[in-house]
């Protein structure tokens, strides 16, 4: 239907809706069932079967299948009926594939849960009442209200628009925001880009506000039709996963070379082609950490879930990797470092502070309230004032002295909305039958537009000396950390008057927003962790500095800079200035981008907070963009890597701590997996070189890879963040994943595990009459468990807590029980080629297996691995 070619009233009639009261909840529910969710149809997910067979694309698994086929064929040709080994290998490979699918689904579900938590919402009128609902529940006929910064949730016909400008570049390609009008009616064949009375899903309100009636939802919207044309794309791997994949590939090439050598040595020693082939192939599969990317994904997703519980929603997994390396946190002041509970504490006229009960103060508060979008909402017997914190403080102050705008005598006719660039808002209101243009905003923006001032004796000419006095009052209030708002007025030329000049200055309103109780502590933690906290605000420089000094961001030795001063600096000069500047005041969104780039030019990793439409470029420019969950606009949230659900600076610091912990846990898992794989390779390779029989059968190698590798590796991902983690300096971007001697540790520990396995093999054969293979098998499995426990922390196990990781406790218990079962249960022992062990032999296995843990504790005692 051509909604743009009919009036809003006819559109509402066609949609069987009410442009004033909206739909009833019952009707909305019925329409939702009929039309479906207001969401783009997600790409079809592969079934469990498809996912299962996708696991067999791995090159190593293909080799295993070839080995199985060769083994089956050989057993059939030789007629010995020995199909146990290939069958067990096949079962283990299938089980490994099932675990891979389950891990993928768990990670996917975790991300879906987080996406639901950050899903957009919409302001809708139903049953004549305004309420906020999930955007996915909108239906055709719903009446929605939008403001600057909102993402348009569905295609809609405008009912009313006030200075509305919408960014439609995603749909039309127009780079300039489009001005919208509700009253016009357009030709049926009008191009989409010219439909000024329509707004479309996924576009952005850049300025103004509006009321509109929803015409299309979900896949019926313009963007939904485009979505139907798009091919599904696979999610890219994170940088960390890509690095680890390269490592795995390099290790795989090395492992294949070693396995080829093992195969040739077996042929030379006449061990038989099939046994040598099977041993080399299974060794290759056991050595290559093909499960490493999956483990990384699981560890990341578990960490992200933990962060979500701490009020930090990570929108992209790679952000976790960057969080731990943050060196600078650029934070807004209001609501992030402070409580966002503004309270009016001072009112000044042209001559100084006046009582809130005075006539002039009453006029100041009335005009300020009229030039405000804060609303009082009744909730039963109680009422709540909602809206911008500054405006709610003004309305609350006016209410406290008995001033409350009357809808009949105080009617708003026009609004020129506030923006970060304008730093002011103006409205035309009918006040007791007379049209008045009222402006409120920053004193340094409002006062130059005034030609008179209000006094007890009426309106007087505003001289230069009087302006200087008022500016001095503003400065004095700002030094006391008060936010100062100037209020002025004049008779309006018309109901649409937007000429912001020739005003009568009414007065100044001073209010304060106290620091959050936890802000000072969070700032202190930042500094100890080598992170520089920086305040960036649109407030007066004196106000900003006072708060910054209170919570510890700034001191007497640091500098503060205004946007005007920043404009005078070149990029190179700003790069030098940010080294000592900790407070940036009176800045615009463009300034924020320059500040972020200046810090990054110095090699810093920058986290940046933002909540407005114009903060999106700075959020994108930063290494980590942090949007505010409560006060943030949809645009800011979509540009951010992380959303703070409580708008709290302390949450950013906690998120950095969690990010460091997640990075550490991934490093621990990689440390463990690569070390154990090297141990497996060396044990078999050295036995072949030295002329011994192989200490491990192919089935045993696969078992170790499946059980004692995967379970402890995942358990390491649940390890708690170490207590000293925020006493460490951030890792620079150039810091390699295997830096600080990690490769050496992995190699030495792998060699140690391999040596212990060979020693167990030798002891079993020379002293206990042929149980060397079983002792080597058990020693390798239990060594890996010891190695996993040792890898849990860089600190002593006794400091960290022996049983503090419940998941690791379960993994260890399960691994021990399963390993014991393949030795002690006859049918399983037959399958895995193991022999029963007596108490002494188990004791030897236990002593050898505990050596990695003992040596690790000794190394930690003497300072080895104290920090990654």
């Amino acid at each position: 239907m051509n909604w743009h070619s009919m009036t809003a009233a006819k559109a509402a009639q066609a949609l069987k809706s009410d442009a004033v009261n909206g739909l009833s909840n019952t009707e909305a529910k019925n329409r939702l069932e009929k039309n479906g969710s207001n969401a783009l149809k997600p790409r079809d997910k592969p079934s469990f079967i498809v996912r299962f067979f996708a696991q067999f694309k791995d090159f190593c698994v293909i080799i295993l299948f070839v080995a199985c086929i060769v083994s089956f064929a050989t057993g059939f040709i030789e007629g010995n009926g020995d199909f146990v080994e290939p069958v067990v290998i096949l079962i283990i490979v299938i089980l490994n594939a099932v675990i891979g699918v389950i891990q993928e689904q768990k990670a996917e579900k975790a991300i879906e849960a987080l996406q639901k938590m950050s899903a957009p919402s919409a302001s809708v009128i139903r049953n004549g009442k305004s309420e906020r609902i999930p955007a996915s529940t909108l239906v055709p006929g719903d009446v929605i209200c939008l403001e600057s910064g909102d993402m348009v949730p569905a295609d809609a016909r405008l009912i009313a628009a006030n200075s509305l400008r919408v960014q439609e570049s995603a749909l039309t390609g127009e780079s300039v925001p489009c001005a919208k009008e509700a009253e016009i009616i357009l030709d049926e064949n009008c191009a989409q880009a010219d439909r000024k009375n329509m707004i479309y899903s996924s576009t952005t309100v850049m300025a103004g506000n509006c009321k509109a009636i929803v015409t299309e939802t979900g896949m019926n919207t313009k963007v939904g039709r485009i979505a139907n044309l798009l091919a599904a794309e696979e999610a890219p791997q994170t940088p960390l996963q890509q690095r680890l994949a390269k490592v795995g590939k390099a290790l795989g090439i090395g492992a294949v070379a070693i396995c080829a050598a093992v195969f040739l040595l077996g042929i030379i020693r006449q061990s038989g082609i099939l046994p040598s082939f099977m041993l080399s192939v299974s060794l290759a599969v056991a050595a290559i950490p093909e499960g490493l990317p999956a483990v990384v994904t699981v560890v990341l997703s578990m960490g992200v879930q933990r962060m979500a519980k701490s009020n930090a929603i990570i929108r992209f997994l790679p952000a976790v990797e960057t969080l731990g390396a943050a060196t600078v946190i650029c934070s807004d002041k209001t609501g992030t470092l402070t409580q966002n509970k503004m309270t009016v504490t001072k009112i000044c006229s042209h001559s100084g502070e006046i009582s809130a009960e005075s006539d002039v103060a009453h006029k100041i508060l009335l005009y300020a309230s009229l030039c405000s979008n804060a609303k009082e909402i009744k909730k039963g017997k109680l009422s709540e004032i909602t809206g911008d914190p500054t405006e709610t403080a003004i309305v609350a102050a006016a209410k406290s002295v008995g001033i409350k705008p009357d809808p009949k005598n105080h009617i708003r006719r026009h609004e020129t909305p506030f923006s970060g660039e304008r730093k002011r808002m103006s409205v035309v209101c009918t006040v007791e039958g007379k049209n008045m243009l009222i402006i409120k905003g920053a004193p340094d923006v409002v006062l130059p537009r005034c030609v008179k001032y209000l006094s007890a004796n009426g309106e007087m000419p505003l001289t230069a000396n009087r302006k200087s006095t008022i500016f001095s009052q503003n400065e004095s209030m700002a030094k006391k950390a008060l936010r100062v708002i100037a209020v002025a007025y004049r008779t309006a030329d018309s109901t649409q008057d937007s000429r912001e000049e020739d005003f009568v200055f009414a007065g100044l309103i001073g209010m304060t927003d106290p620091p959050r109780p936890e802000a000072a502590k969070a700032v202190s933690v930042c500094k100890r962790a080598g992170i520089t906290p920086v305040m960036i605000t649109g407030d007066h420089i004196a106000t900003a500095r006072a708060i910054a000094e209170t919570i510890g961001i700034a001191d007497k030795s640091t500098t503060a800079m205004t946007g005007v001063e920043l404009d005078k600096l070149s990029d190179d000069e700003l790069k030098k200035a940010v080294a000592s500047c900790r407070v940036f005041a009176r800045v615009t969104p463009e300034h924020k981008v320059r500040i972020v780039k200046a810090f990054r030019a110095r090699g810093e990793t920058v986290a940046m907070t933002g909540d407005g439409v114009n903060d999106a470029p700075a959020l994108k420019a930063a290494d980590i963009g942090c949007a505010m969950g409560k006060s943030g606009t949809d645009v800011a949230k979509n540009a951010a890597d992380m959303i703070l659900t409580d708008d709290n600076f302390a949450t950013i610091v906690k998120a950095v701590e969690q990010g460091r912990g997640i990075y550490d846990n991934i490093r621990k898992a990689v440390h463990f997996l690569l070390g154990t794989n090297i141990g497996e390779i060396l044990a078999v390779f050295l036995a072949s070189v030295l002329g011994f029989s192989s200490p491990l059968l192919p089935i045993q190698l696969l078992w170790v890879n499946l059980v004692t590798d995967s379970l402890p590796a995942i358990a390491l991902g649940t390890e708690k963040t170490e207590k000293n983690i925020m006493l460490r300096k951030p890792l620079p971007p150039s810091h390699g994943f295997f830096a600080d001697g990690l490769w050496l540790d992995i190699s030495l520990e792998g060699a140690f595990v391999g040596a212990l396995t060979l020693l167990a093999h030798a002891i079993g054969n020379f002293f206990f009459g042929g149980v060397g293979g079983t002792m080597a098998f058990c020693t390798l499995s239990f060594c890996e468990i010891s190695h996993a426990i040792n890898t849990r922390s860089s600190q002593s196990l006794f400091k960290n807590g022996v049983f503090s990781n419940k998941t690791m406790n379960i993994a260890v218990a399960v691994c021990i029980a399963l390993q014991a079962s393949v030795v002690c249960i006859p049918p399983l022992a037959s399958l895995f080629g193991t022999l029963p062990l007596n108490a002494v032999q188990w004791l030897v296995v236990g002593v050898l297996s505990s050596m990695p843990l003992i040596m690790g504790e000794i190394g930690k005692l003497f300072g080895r691995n104290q920090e990654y």
Side-chain angles (χ1 to χ4, degrees), residues 44-54 101 104-105:
D44 294 333
K45 294 180 182 177
S47 65
F48 185 92
I49 298 298
V50 173
R51 288 176 186 268
F52 175 77
F53 283 107
V101 173
E104 283 183 11
Q105 289 181 333

Side-chain angles (χ1 to χ4, degrees), residues 1-12 15 144 146 152 154-162 164-166 168 172 178-201 203 209-216 222:
M1 191 172 288
N2 295 315
W3 303 106
H4 58 278
S5 63
M6 62 178 72
T7 64
K10 285 188 176 180
L15 290 162
I144 55 175
L146 300 172
V152 179
D155 290 2
R157 171 62 164 93
L158 289 173
I159 298 171
N162 185 27
L164 184 67
R165 297 182 70 82
V166 180
E168 296 183 337
T172 64
C178 177
K180 297 287 185 177
E181 299 177 39
E183 292 79 11
I184 61 172
I185 300 172
L186 302 168
D187 185 75
E188 287 187 5
N189 298 320
C190 177
Q192 182 180 315
D194 297 324
R195 295 176 186 176
K196 297 184 181 297
N197 57 6
M198 296 289 297
I199 52 177
Y200 297 102
S201 175
T203 59
N209 51 58
C210 70
K211 186 164 78 168
I213 188 165
V214 174
T215 56
E216 305 288 355
K222 297 295 183 185

Side-chain angles (χ1 to χ4, degrees), residues 93 186 414 434 596 675 716:
V93 170
L186 302 168
H414 179 70
K434 188 176 181 181
V596 168
L716 283 170

